[in-house]
């Protein structure tokens, strides 16, 4: 699970301090500091949040989860981090799916050896 991997990498440091966290899981239903686990439909939960929340909803997820959000047209912005590692094989950055979206470049940030690209959904 992405959440458990991130917590392990943080080695006791807080995850997104003072931000409510909703972690989608098929198996865990416990609560955590500033959040909880849920097995509810992510498309419905995020769609409802977009109607209720003013400002950003930050989503950290894996490829399959991301593909479902892209297919439901729920993402407005993307921050893509590029690490200086070349692989001869591996997973695609975005999984195959039923989605298509034009993006506009917003900014890039250098973080040590990494580069973060920021794109926004192009309004047509």
């Amino acid at each position: 699970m992405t959440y458990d991997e991130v917590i392990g990498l943080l080695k006791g440091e807080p995850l997104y301090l003072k931000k409510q966290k909703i972690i989608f899981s098929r198996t865990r239903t416990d609560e955590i500091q500033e959040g909880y686990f849920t097995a509810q439909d992510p498309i419905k939960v995020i769609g409802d949040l977009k109607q209720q929340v003013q400002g950003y909803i930050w989503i950290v997820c894996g490829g399959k989860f991301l593909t479902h959000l892209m297919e439901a047209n729920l993402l407005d912005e993307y921050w893509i981090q590029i690490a200086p590692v070349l692989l001869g094989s591996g997973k695609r950055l975005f999984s195959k799916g039923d989605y298509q979206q034009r993006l506009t470049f917003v900014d890039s940030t250098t973080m040590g050896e990494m580069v973060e690209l920021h794109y926004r959904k192009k309004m047509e």
Side-chain angles (χ1 to χ4, degrees):
M1 169 187 293
T2 302
Y3 176 78
D4 292 328
E5 290 178 28
V6 170
I7 293 300
L9 291 171
L10 290 175
K11 298 178 183 174
E13 293 294 316
L15 174 66
Y16 307 119
L17 191 60
K18 298 182 182 176
K19 302 290 183 196
Q20 181 186 20
K21 296 154 205 62
I22 302 171
I23 301 103
F24 295 95
S25 172
R26 292 182 195 97
T27 57
R28 289 183 65 177
T29 58
D30 50 311
E31 293 190 11
I32 58 167
Q33 182 178 355
E34 299 177 339
Y36 59 92
F37 288 86
T38 183
Q40 294 179 38
D41 175 20
I43 302 302
K44 179 174 180 0
V45 171
I46 294 170
D48 289 348
L49 280 173
K50 285 186 71 156
Q51 299 298 317
Q52 300 166 10
V53 173
Q54 297 295 322
Y56 287 106
I57 301 168
W58 193 263
I59 301 170
V60 178
C61 62
K64 191 173 186 179
F65 194 97
L66 178 66
T67 299
H68 293 304
L69 299 178
M70 292 168 68
E71 289 175 334
N73 197 27
L74 287 174
L75 303 176
D76 299 320
E77 298 191 38
Y78 296 81
W79 281 265
I80 302 167
Q81 296 174 349
I82 309 295
V85 178
L86 300 177
L87 303 173
S89 64
K91 293 183 179 181
R92 297 167 48 119
L93 180 58
F94 298 104
S95 299
K96 291 182 180 181
D98 186 20
Y99 59 86
Q100 183 174 347
Q101 181 66 60
R102 300 290 300 173
L103 303 175
T104 300
F105 176 74
V106 176
D107 194 15
S108 64
T109 305
T110 303
M111 303 175 299
E113 293 183 338
M114 293 178 56
V115 174
E116 182 177 72
L117 304 173
H118 179 192
Y119 290 93
R120 186 171 291 129
K121 179 173 28 177
K122 194 173 213 170
M123 299 299 170
E124 298 178 35

